[in-house]
Amino acid sequence: MGSSGNGMFGTYRGGGAGSIVRGGNNGGDECPLAIENILLEDVAISEYFQNHKDVPSTGQAVELSMQLVNKRLAVVLSSTQEVIGNLPVSYNYLNLCIKKGKRYSGEIKSSGLSPVPFIVVNLYT
């Protein structure tokens, strides 16, 4: 059985496996204050990985791009503005938050190359 919805941004709610979403949903505001443990997608084909053949180290500052990148919500390294990966589609509702003027920034919680390149981030408003 598949998911239901209209295929538009905002259809999916909640986080991916292992993620923690805090705040939001008060007074009609569905934009969380914090989202932790987000495992990014497409790390190995990201701009950063293609340029450096590596992943950025733990603790580096990141932010959610205010523009869609290839029709995806992308996370960029704050220091270089290079895309390091994409948010899973379960976070597509954040596009509405961005349109409302919310900005998300945070840090890399963990990263590595094995078994495949991966990055886990925490984002906060």
Side-chain angles (χ1 to χ4, degrees), residues 81-115:
Q81 293 300 298
E82 291 171 291
V83 173
I84 62 170
N86 295 319
L87 291 183
V89 295
S90 61
Y91 294 100
N92 281 354
Y93 68 94
L94 291 177
N95 192 47
L96 297 174
C97 299
I98 292 169
K99 288 180 179 180
K100 291 180 184 178
K102 298 274 187 186
R103 294 182 163 262
Y104 287 89
S105 60
E107 67 180 359
I108 296 173
K109 182 175 178 182
S110 65
S111 64
L113 296 172
S114 180

PDB file of all heavy atoms in Angstrom, residues 81-115:
ATOM      1  N   GLN A  81      28.992  27.502   1.105  1.00  0.00           N
ATOM      2  CA  GLN A  81      27.695  27.453   0.423  1.00  0.00           C
ATOM      3  C   GLN A  81      27.597  26.304  -0.572  1.00  0.00           C
ATOM      4  O   GLN A  81      26.747  26.306  -1.455  1.00  0.00           O
ATOM      5  CB  GLN A  81      27.362  28.789  -0.255  1.00  0.00           C
ATOM      6  CG  GLN A  81      27.124  29.921   0.727  1.00  0.00           C
ATOM      7  CD  GLN A  81      25.959  29.632   1.671  1.00  0.00           C
ATOM      8  OE1 GLN A  81      24.828  29.474   1.225  1.00  0.00           O
ATOM      9  NE2 GLN A  81      26.222  29.558   2.959  1.00  0.00           N
ATOM     10  N   GLU A  82      28.445  25.264  -0.426  1.00  0.00           N
ATOM     11  CA  GLU A  82      28.364  24.083  -1.269  1.00  0.00           C
ATOM     12  C   GLU A  82      27.287  23.144  -0.716  1.00  0.00           C
ATOM     13  O   GLU A  82      27.195  22.948   0.498  1.00  0.00           O
ATOM     14  CB  GLU A  82      29.691  23.331  -1.277  1.00  0.00           C
ATOM     15  CG  GLU A  82      30.810  24.062  -1.987  1.00  0.00           C
ATOM     16  CD  GLU A  82      32.141  23.370  -1.777  1.00  0.00           C
ATOM     17  OE1 GLU A  82      32.643  23.403  -0.633  1.00  0.00           O
ATOM     18  OE2 GLU A  82      32.660  22.804  -2.742  1.00  0.00           O
ATOM     19  N   VAL A  83      26.492  22.563  -1.608  1.00  0.00           N
ATOM     20  CA  VAL A  83      25.484  21.588  -1.207  1.00  0.00           C
ATOM     21  C   VAL A  83      26.197  20.335  -0.702  1.00  0.00           C
ATOM     22  O   VAL A  83      27.087  19.804  -1.372  1.00  0.00           O
ATOM     23  CB  VAL A  83      24.554  21.237  -2.384  1.00  0.00           C
ATOM     24  CG1 VAL A  83      23.610  20.099  -2.012  1.00  0.00           C
ATOM     25  CG2 VAL A  83      23.766  22.463  -2.837  1.00  0.00           C
ATOM     26  N   ILE A  84      25.795  19.876   0.503  1.00  0.00           N
ATOM     27  CA  ILE A  84      26.394  18.657   1.063  1.00  0.00           C
ATOM     28  C   ILE A  84      25.439  17.472   0.999  1.00  0.00           C
ATOM     29  O   ILE A  84      25.846  16.338   1.207  1.00  0.00           O
ATOM     30  CB  ILE A  84      26.885  18.866   2.509  1.00  0.00           C
ATOM     31  CG1 ILE A  84      25.729  19.217   3.450  1.00  0.00           C
ATOM     32  CG2 ILE A  84      27.979  19.925   2.554  1.00  0.00           C
ATOM     33  CD1 ILE A  84      26.091  19.199   4.931  1.00  0.00           C
ATOM     34  N   GLY A  85      24.168  17.723   0.727  1.00  0.00           N
ATOM     35  CA  GLY A  85      23.172  16.666   0.622  1.00  0.00           C
ATOM     36  C   GLY A  85      21.775  17.251   0.610  1.00  0.00           C
ATOM     37  O   GLY A  85      21.588  18.456   0.794  1.00  0.00           O
ATOM     38  N   ASN A  86      20.800  16.377   0.406  1.00  0.00           N
ATOM     39  CA  ASN A  86      19.393  16.780   0.351  1.00  0.00           C
ATOM     40  C   ASN A  86      18.637  16.228   1.549  1.00  0.00           C
ATOM     41  O   ASN A  86      18.950  15.145   2.047  1.00  0.00           O
ATOM     42  CB  ASN A  86      18.737  16.251  -0.925  1.00  0.00           C
ATOM     43  CG  ASN A  86      19.322  16.872  -2.163  1.00  0.00           C
ATOM     44  OD1 ASN A  86      19.591  18.057  -2.213  1.00  0.00           O
ATOM     45  ND2 ASN A  86      19.526  16.051  -3.181  1.00  0.00           N
ATOM     46  N   LEU A  87      17.608  16.970   1.965  1.00  0.00           N
ATOM     47  CA  LEU A  87      16.722  16.448   2.995  1.00  0.00           C
ATOM     48  C   LEU A  87      15.865  15.335   2.408  1.00  0.00           C
ATOM     49  O   LEU A  87      15.462  15.404   1.242  1.00  0.00           O
ATOM     50  CB  LEU A  87      15.798  17.548   3.528  1.00  0.00           C
ATOM     51  CG  LEU A  87      16.420  18.664   4.350  1.00  0.00           C
ATOM     52  CD1 LEU A  87      15.322  19.604   4.847  1.00  0.00           C
ATOM     53  CD2 LEU A  87      17.219  18.131   5.510  1.00  0.00           C
ATOM     54  N   PRO A  88      15.555  14.315   3.197  1.00  0.00           N
ATOM     55  CA  PRO A  88      14.593  13.300   2.734  1.00  0.00           C
ATOM     56  C   PRO A  88      13.252  13.969   2.411  1.00  0.00           C
ATOM     57  O   PRO A  88      12.908  15.007   2.985  1.00  0.00           O
ATOM     58  CB  PRO A  88      14.465  12.365   3.930  1.00  0.00           C
ATOM     59  CG  PRO A  88      15.738  12.544   4.694  1.00  0.00           C
ATOM     60  CD  PRO A  88      16.104  13.999   4.519  1.00  0.00           C
ATOM     61  N   VAL A  89      12.479  13.370   1.504  1.00  0.00           N
ATOM     62  CA  VAL A  89      11.214  13.982   1.088  1.00  0.00           C
ATOM     63  C   VAL A  89      10.218  14.127   2.238  1.00  0.00           C
ATOM     64  O   VAL A  89       9.307  14.937   2.150  1.00  0.00           O
ATOM     65  CB  VAL A  89      10.558  13.222  -0.091  1.00  0.00           C
ATOM     66  CG1 VAL A  89      11.411  13.324  -1.329  1.00  0.00           C
ATOM     67  CG2 VAL A  89      10.269  11.789   0.255  1.00  0.00           C
ATOM     68  N   SER A  90      10.407  13.385   3.314  1.00  0.00           N
ATOM     69  CA  SER A  90       9.500  13.534   4.463  1.00  0.00           C
ATOM     70  C   SER A  90       9.601  14.927   5.091  1.00  0.00           C
ATOM     71  O   SER A  90       8.736  15.314   5.872  1.00  0.00           O
ATOM     72  CB  SER A  90       9.779  12.458   5.512  1.00  0.00           C
ATOM     73  OG  SER A  90      11.099  12.552   5.995  1.00  0.00           O
ATOM     74  N   TYR A  91      10.625  15.700   4.720  1.00  0.00           N
ATOM     75  CA  TYR A  91      10.790  17.069   5.227  1.00  0.00           C
ATOM     76  C   TYR A  91      10.345  18.117   4.216  1.00  0.00           C
ATOM     77  O   TYR A  91      10.586  19.308   4.418  1.00  0.00           O
ATOM     78  CB  TYR A  91      12.255  17.323   5.597  1.00  0.00           C
ATOM     79  CG  TYR A  91      12.729  16.489   6.743  1.00  0.00           C
ATOM     80  CD1 TYR A  91      13.467  15.336   6.520  1.00  0.00           C
ATOM     81  CD2 TYR A  91      12.426  16.832   8.059  1.00  0.00           C
ATOM     82  CE1 TYR A  91      13.904  14.552   7.569  1.00  0.00           C
ATOM     83  CE2 TYR A  91      12.861  16.055   9.109  1.00  0.00           C
ATOM     84  CZ  TYR A  91      13.600  14.924   8.860  1.00  0.00           C
ATOM     85  OH  TYR A  91      14.021  14.150   9.904  1.00  0.00           O
ATOM     86  N   ASN A  92       9.684  17.722   3.138  1.00  0.00           N
ATOM     87  CA  ASN A  92       9.265  18.681   2.118  1.00  0.00           C
ATOM     88  C   ASN A  92       8.367  19.779   2.680  1.00  0.00           C
ATOM     89  O   ASN A  92       8.329  20.874   2.129  1.00  0.00           O
ATOM     90  CB  ASN A  92       8.560  17.976   0.963  1.00  0.00           C
ATOM     91  CG  ASN A  92       9.528  17.324  -0.001  1.00  0.00           C
ATOM     92  OD1 ASN A  92      10.738  17.478   0.115  1.00  0.00           O
ATOM     93  ND2 ASN A  92       8.996  16.579  -0.942  1.00  0.00           N
ATOM     94  N   TYR A  93       7.674  19.518   3.768  1.00  0.00           N
ATOM     95  CA  TYR A  93       6.817  20.545   4.374  1.00  0.00           C
ATOM     96  C   TYR A  93       7.629  21.765   4.798  1.00  0.00           C
ATOM     97  O   TYR A  93       7.092  22.864   4.934  1.00  0.00           O
ATOM     98  CB  TYR A  93       6.023  19.975   5.553  1.00  0.00           C
ATOM     99  CG  TYR A  93       6.862  19.598   6.745  1.00  0.00           C
ATOM    100  CD1 TYR A  93       7.063  20.491   7.782  1.00  0.00           C
ATOM    101  CD2 TYR A  93       7.466  18.345   6.829  1.00  0.00           C
ATOM    102  CE1 TYR A  93       7.838  20.153   8.883  1.00  0.00           C
ATOM    103  CE2 TYR A  93       8.232  17.995   7.917  1.00  0.00           C
ATOM    104  CZ  TYR A  93       8.422  18.899   8.941  1.00  0.00           C
ATOM    105  OH  TYR A  93       9.194  18.557  10.023  1.00  0.00           O
ATOM    106  N   LEU A  94       8.945  21.614   4.989  1.00  0.00           N
ATOM    107  CA  LEU A  94       9.779  22.752   5.380  1.00  0.00           C
ATOM    108  C   LEU A  94       9.846  23.808   4.280  1.00  0.00           C
ATOM    109  O   LEU A  94      10.154  24.963   4.555  1.00  0.00           O
ATOM    110  CB  LEU A  94      11.185  22.287   5.750  1.00  0.00           C
ATOM    111  CG  LEU A  94      11.298  21.477   7.038  1.00  0.00           C
ATOM    112  CD1 LEU A  94      12.734  21.023   7.249  1.00  0.00           C
ATOM    113  CD2 LEU A  94      10.789  22.262   8.232  1.00  0.00           C
ATOM    114  N   ASN A  95       9.535  23.436   3.046  1.00  0.00           N
ATOM    115  CA  ASN A  95       9.491  24.424   1.972  1.00  0.00           C
ATOM    116  C   ASN A  95       8.463  25.509   2.296  1.00  0.00           C
ATOM    117  O   ASN A  95       8.693  26.685   2.022  1.00  0.00           O
ATOM    118  CB  ASN A  95       9.187  23.763   0.634  1.00  0.00           C
ATOM    119  CG  ASN A  95       9.422  24.695  -0.526  1.00  0.00           C
ATOM    120  OD1 ASN A  95      10.447  25.358  -0.593  1.00  0.00           O
ATOM    121  ND2 ASN A  95       8.466  24.752  -1.430  1.00  0.00           N
ATOM    122  N   LEU A  96       7.352  25.129   2.900  1.00  0.00           N
ATOM    123  CA  LEU A  96       6.343  26.121   3.304  1.00  0.00           C
ATOM    124  C   LEU A  96       6.889  27.027   4.398  1.00  0.00           C
ATOM    125  O   LEU A  96       6.590  28.217   4.430  1.00  0.00           O
ATOM    126  CB  LEU A  96       5.071  25.415   3.771  1.00  0.00           C
ATOM    127  CG  LEU A  96       4.349  24.578   2.709  1.00  0.00           C
ATOM    128  CD1 LEU A  96       3.188  23.815   3.335  1.00  0.00           C
ATOM    129  CD2 LEU A  96       3.899  25.427   1.558  1.00  0.00           C
ATOM    130  N   CYS A  97       7.691  26.475   5.288  1.00  0.00           N
ATOM    131  CA  CYS A  97       8.299  27.262   6.361  1.00  0.00           C
ATOM    132  C   CYS A  97       9.273  28.284   5.782  1.00  0.00           C
ATOM    133  O   CYS A  97       9.305  29.442   6.211  1.00  0.00           O
ATOM    134  CB  CYS A  97       9.022  26.345   7.347  1.00  0.00           C
ATOM    135  SG  CYS A  97       7.918  25.153   8.137  1.00  0.00           S
ATOM    136  N   ILE A  98      10.059  27.858   4.795  1.00  0.00           N
ATOM    137  CA  ILE A  98      11.000  28.766   4.136  1.00  0.00           C
ATOM    138  C   ILE A  98      10.241  29.902   3.471  1.00  0.00           C
ATOM    139  O   ILE A  98      10.621  31.068   3.570  1.00  0.00           O
ATOM    140  CB  ILE A  98      11.860  27.999   3.111  1.00  0.00           C
ATOM    141  CG1 ILE A  98      12.804  27.042   3.828  1.00  0.00           C
ATOM    142  CG2 ILE A  98      12.631  28.957   2.219  1.00  0.00           C
ATOM    143  CD1 ILE A  98      13.503  26.067   2.912  1.00  0.00           C
ATOM    144  N   LYS A  99       9.134  29.570   2.821  1.00  0.00           N
ATOM    145  CA  LYS A  99       8.325  30.602   2.161  1.00  0.00           C
ATOM    146  C   LYS A  99       7.731  31.580   3.172  1.00  0.00           C
ATOM    147  O   LYS A  99       7.437  32.718   2.830  1.00  0.00           O
ATOM    148  CB  LYS A  99       7.227  29.960   1.320  1.00  0.00           C
ATOM    149  CG  LYS A  99       7.773  29.301   0.070  1.00  0.00           C
ATOM    150  CD  LYS A  99       6.679  28.664  -0.751  1.00  0.00           C
ATOM    151  CE  LYS A  99       7.268  28.030  -1.996  1.00  0.00           C
ATOM    152  NZ  LYS A  99       6.245  27.399  -2.829  1.00  0.00           N
ATOM    153  N   LYS A 100       7.543  31.124   4.417  1.00  0.00           N
ATOM    154  CA  LYS A 100       7.051  32.000   5.491  1.00  0.00           C
ATOM    155  C   LYS A 100       8.182  32.828   6.106  1.00  0.00           C
ATOM    156  O   LYS A 100       7.952  33.600   7.016  1.00  0.00           O
ATOM    157  CB  LYS A 100       6.409  31.167   6.606  1.00  0.00           C
ATOM    158  CG  LYS A 100       5.117  30.508   6.219  1.00  0.00           C
ATOM    159  CD  LYS A 100       4.580  29.703   7.395  1.00  0.00           C
ATOM    160  CE  LYS A 100       3.333  28.938   7.057  1.00  0.00           C
ATOM    161  NZ  LYS A 100       2.856  28.138   8.206  1.00  0.00           N
ATOM    162  N   GLY A 101       9.417  32.624   5.622  1.00  0.00           N
ATOM    163  CA  GLY A 101      10.543  33.397   6.125  1.00  0.00           C
ATOM    164  C   GLY A 101      11.375  32.709   7.195  1.00  0.00           C
ATOM    165  O   GLY A 101      12.306  33.310   7.729  1.00  0.00           O
ATOM    166  N   LYS A 102      11.054  31.468   7.512  1.00  0.00           N
ATOM    167  CA  LYS A 102      11.847  30.734   8.509  1.00  0.00           C
ATOM    168  C   LYS A 102      13.199  30.370   7.904  1.00  0.00           C
ATOM    169  O   LYS A 102      13.295  30.022   6.739  1.00  0.00           O
ATOM    170  CB  LYS A 102      11.145  29.451   8.944  1.00  0.00           C
ATOM    171  CG  LYS A 102       9.818  29.662   9.608  1.00  0.00           C
ATOM    172  CD  LYS A 102       9.981  29.912  11.063  1.00  0.00           C
ATOM    173  CE  LYS A 102       8.605  29.952  11.723  1.00  0.00           C
ATOM    174  NZ  LYS A 102       8.670  30.319  13.093  1.00  0.00           N
ATOM    175  N   ARG A 103      14.229  30.448   8.719  1.00  0.00           N
ATOM    176  CA  ARG A 103      15.574  30.047   8.322  1.00  0.00           C
ATOM    177  C   ARG A 103      16.035  28.958   9.269  1.00  0.00           C
ATOM    178  O   ARG A 103      15.832  29.050  10.478  1.00  0.00           O
ATOM    179  CB  ARG A 103      16.547  31.218   8.381  1.00  0.00           C
ATOM    180  CG  ARG A 103      16.231  32.288   7.372  1.00  0.00           C
ATOM    181  CD  ARG A 103      17.272  33.401   7.441  1.00  0.00           C
ATOM    182  NE  ARG A 103      17.211  34.193   6.242  1.00  0.00           N
ATOM    183  CZ  ARG A 103      18.021  34.033   5.212  1.00  0.00           C
ATOM    184  NH1 ARG A 103      18.958  33.121   5.232  1.00  0.00           N
ATOM    185  NH2 ARG A 103      17.894  34.792   4.143  1.00  0.00           N
ATOM    186  N   TYR A 104      16.652  27.945   8.706  1.00  0.00           N
ATOM    187  CA  TYR A 104      17.169  26.839   9.501  1.00  0.00           C
ATOM    188  C   TYR A 104      18.679  26.749   9.334  1.00  0.00           C
ATOM    189  O   TYR A 104      19.191  26.780   8.217  1.00  0.00           O
ATOM    190  CB  TYR A 104      16.524  25.509   9.072  1.00  0.00           C
ATOM    191  CG  TYR A 104      15.093  25.392   9.509  1.00  0.00           C
ATOM    192  CD1 TYR A 104      14.056  25.846   8.709  1.00  0.00           C
ATOM    193  CD2 TYR A 104      14.776  24.838  10.745  1.00  0.00           C
ATOM    194  CE1 TYR A 104      12.740  25.751   9.114  1.00  0.00           C
ATOM    195  CE2 TYR A 104      13.457  24.740  11.164  1.00  0.00           C
ATOM    196  CZ  TYR A 104      12.451  25.205  10.342  1.00  0.00           C
ATOM    197  OH  TYR A 104      11.146  25.106  10.757  1.00  0.00           O
ATOM    198  N   SER A 105      19.369  26.662  10.458  1.00  0.00           N
ATOM    199  CA  SER A 105      20.808  26.460  10.450  1.00  0.00           C
ATOM    200  C   SER A 105      21.141  25.486  11.566  1.00  0.00           C
ATOM    201  O   SER A 105      20.315  25.205  12.431  1.00  0.00           O
ATOM    202  CB  SER A 105      21.548  27.786  10.634  1.00  0.00           C
ATOM    203  OG  SER A 105      21.184  28.377  11.865  1.00  0.00           O
ATOM    204  N   GLY A 106      22.340  24.958  11.544  1.00  0.00           N
ATOM    205  CA  GLY A 106      22.724  24.000  12.569  1.00  0.00           C
ATOM    206  C   GLY A 106      24.132  23.522  12.363  1.00  0.00           C
ATOM    207  O   GLY A 106      25.002  24.301  11.951  1.00  0.00           O
ATOM    208  N   GLU A 107      24.331  22.221  12.595  1.00  0.00           N
ATOM    209  CA  GLU A 107      25.676  21.679  12.477  1.00  0.00           C
ATOM    210  C   GLU A 107      25.638  20.215  12.068  1.00  0.00           C
ATOM    211  O   GLU A 107      24.608  19.553  12.174  1.00  0.00           O
ATOM    212  CB  GLU A 107      26.427  21.820  13.792  1.00  0.00           C
ATOM    213  CG  GLU A 107      25.868  20.974  14.911  1.00  0.00           C
ATOM    214  CD  GLU A 107      26.636  21.139  16.211  1.00  0.00           C
ATOM    215  OE1 GLU A 107      27.618  21.897  16.248  1.00  0.00           O
ATOM    216  OE2 GLU A 107      26.238  20.506  17.186  1.00  0.00           O
ATOM    217  N   ILE A 108      26.787  19.757  11.610  1.00  0.00           N
ATOM    218  CA  ILE A 108      26.943  18.351  11.267  1.00  0.00           C
ATOM    219  C   ILE A 108      27.157  17.570  12.555  1.00  0.00           C
ATOM    220  O   ILE A 108      28.068  17.871  13.328  1.00  0.00           O
ATOM    221  CB  ILE A 108      28.127  18.152  10.303  1.00  0.00           C
ATOM    222  CG1 ILE A 108      27.839  18.874   8.991  1.00  0.00           C
ATOM    223  CG2 ILE A 108      28.393  16.661  10.081  1.00  0.00           C
ATOM    224  CD1 ILE A 108      29.004  18.891   8.016  1.00  0.00           C
ATOM    225  N   LYS A 109      26.282  16.610  12.795  1.00  0.00           N
ATOM    226  CA  LYS A 109      26.374  15.799  14.006  1.00  0.00           C
ATOM    227  C   LYS A 109      27.337  14.631  13.801  1.00  0.00           C
ATOM    228  O   LYS A 109      28.097  14.274  14.691  1.00  0.00           O
ATOM    229  CB  LYS A 109      24.991  15.279  14.390  1.00  0.00           C
ATOM    230  CG  LYS A 109      24.991  14.483  15.657  1.00  0.00           C
ATOM    231  CD  LYS A 109      23.597  14.098  16.075  1.00  0.00           C
ATOM    232  CE  LYS A 109      23.674  13.255  17.336  1.00  0.00           C
ATOM    233  NZ  LYS A 109      22.372  12.813  17.758  1.00  0.00           N
ATOM    234  N   SER A 110      27.296  14.020  12.623  1.00  0.00           N
ATOM    235  CA  SER A 110      28.249  12.956  12.297  1.00  0.00           C
ATOM    236  C   SER A 110      28.379  12.859  10.789  1.00  0.00           C
ATOM    237  O   SER A 110      27.486  13.262  10.049  1.00  0.00           O
ATOM    238  CB  SER A 110      27.817  11.612  12.903  1.00  0.00           C
ATOM    239  OG  SER A 110      26.607  11.176  12.336  1.00  0.00           O
ATOM    240  N   SER A 111      29.516  12.316  10.361  1.00  0.00           N
ATOM    241  CA  SER A 111      29.751  12.129   8.931  1.00  0.00           C
ATOM    242  C   SER A 111      30.828  11.073   8.753  1.00  0.00           C
ATOM    243  O   SER A 111      31.602  10.797   9.670  1.00  0.00           O
ATOM    244  CB  SER A 111      30.182  13.443   8.262  1.00  0.00           C
ATOM    245  OG  SER A 111      31.425  13.890   8.781  1.00  0.00           O
ATOM    246  N   GLY A 112      30.842  10.478   7.580  1.00  0.00           N
ATOM    247  CA  GLY A 112      31.853   9.465   7.293  1.00  0.00           C
ATOM    248  C   GLY A 112      31.741   8.959   5.874  1.00  0.00           C
ATOM    249  O   GLY A 112      30.826   9.322   5.131  1.00  0.00           O
ATOM    250  N   LEU A 113      32.673   8.099   5.511  1.00  0.00           N
ATOM    251  CA  LEU A 113      32.730   7.566   4.155  1.00  0.00           C
ATOM    252  C   LEU A 113      32.300   6.111   4.053  1.00  0.00           C
ATOM    253  O   LEU A 113      32.127   5.601   2.952  1.00  0.00           O
ATOM    254  CB  LEU A 113      34.151   7.708   3.601  1.00  0.00           C
ATOM    255  CG  LEU A 113      34.634   9.141   3.430  1.00  0.00           C
ATOM    256  CD1 LEU A 113      36.111   9.163   3.060  1.00  0.00           C
ATOM    257  CD2 LEU A 113      33.805   9.861   2.383  1.00  0.00           C
ATOM    258  N   SER A 114      32.151   5.427   5.189  1.00  0.00           N
ATOM    259  CA  SER A 114      31.880   3.993   5.153  1.00  0.00           C
ATOM    260  C   SER A 114      30.608   3.658   5.919  1.00  0.00           C
ATOM    261  O   SER A 114      30.380   4.225   6.995  1.00  0.00           O
ATOM    262  CB  SER A 114      33.065   3.254   5.776  1.00  0.00           C
ATOM    263  OG  SER A 114      32.861   1.874   5.756  1.00  0.00           O
ATOM    264  N   PRO A 115      29.753   2.818   5.394  1.00  0.00           N
ATOM    265  CA  PRO A 115      29.933   2.016   4.187  1.00  0.00           C
ATOM    266  C   PRO A 115      29.719   2.810   2.895  1.00  0.00           C
ATOM    267  O   PRO A 115      30.198   2.432   1.842  1.00  0.00           O
ATOM    268  CB  PRO A 115      28.903   0.910   4.325  1.00  0.00           C
ATOM    269  CG  PRO A 115      27.817   1.511   5.140  1.00  0.00           C
ATOM    270  CD  PRO A 115      28.501   2.476   6.070  1.00  0.00           C
TER     271      PRO A 115
END
